[in-house]
Amino acid sequence: MFDTKIAIVLRNNLAGWQKLNVTAFLSTGIAGQYPEIIGEPYKDRAGNLYNPLSIQPIIVLSADEATISMIHRRALEREVTPSIFIEEMFATGHDAANRAVFAEYAPDDAKVVGIALRADKKIVDKITKGATMQHSRIGRNEGGRAMARPPHV
């Protein structure tokens, strides 16, 4: 259905809140670079309007520090413009501070915790080689609703 693929790769040692935070930020980077992936607004039966979402699925992968650095390098070598989130950005509080701390690093020393890219499917597969599917620990509570499991379960 799509000639392109969107992939987000997260470093595998992040806390749950960090994974969610990084995924959210990286998704906005892809949407900003490719506004055509945003669909039409949603409307419920009562007539309430909701924001549009991506028309294209987004795959979330996981990788260790060495693999995510390699993925970063491959993206740059193939001239695919990625969205990047580095470890130091967790300590900032706004966009200007994020960009300032990001500018202090080069690809060789950046501690990448997340990278997102959109390109031809085969290119994305080659760039993200070594990353694995991101699995969450989801269980069910007594009422049958999904809930996060503690890591020891």
Side-chain angles (χ1 to χ4, degrees):
M1 181 169 188
F2 296 99
D3 295 332
T4 61
K5 186 176 199 176
I6 301 172
I8 296 176
V9 184
L10 303 172
R11 201 170 69 192
N12 62 5
N13 63 348
L14 298 179
W17 72 268
Q18 291 173 317
K19 290 177 184 179
L20 296 171
N21 182 268
V22 172
T23 301
F25 272 93
L26 294 177
S27 295
T28 65
I30 295 297
Q33 186 179 10
Y34 301 101
E36 67 273 14
I37 70 165
I38 302 302
E40 297 297 320
Y42 284 67
K43 189 175 189 179
D44 67 19
R45 186 179 58 190
N48 297 305
L49 284 176
Y50 299 88
N51 291 328
L53 302 174
S54 174
I55 62 171
Q56 187 170 357
I58 301 171
I59 186 169
V60 181
L61 304 169
S62 181
D64 61 24
E65 192 171 338
T67 303
I68 206 165
S69 292
M70 189 179 310
I71 290 167
H72 181 198
R73 190 189 83 246
R74 287 182 196 142
L76 296 176
E77 287 171 354
R78 293 178 183 270
E79 298 181 350
V80 173
T81 303
S83 298
I84 297 281
F85 197 102
I86 63 170
E87 193 171 289
E88 291 76 11
M89 290 165 67
F90 287 125
T92 65
H94 55 86
D95 183 56
N98 282 345
R99 285 184 284 111
V101 75
F102 188 87
E104 295 175 14
Y105 297 89
D108 295 345
D109 62 355
K111 295 180 223 153
V112 176
V113 298
I115 183 169
L117 49 113
R118 179 181 186 244
D120 178 83
K121 287 179 181 180
K122 290 180 182 180
I123 292 172
V124 170
D125 289 341
K126 288 178 182 177
I127 291 172
T128 60
K129 184 178 178 183
T132 59
M133 289 297 293
Q134 173 66 39
H135 297 285
S136 61
R137 297 174 171 267
I138 301 292
R140 301 276 171 197
N141 67 13
E142 294 170 9
R145 293 188 174 205
M147 58 177 235
R149 282 190 192 149
H152 66 276
V153 173

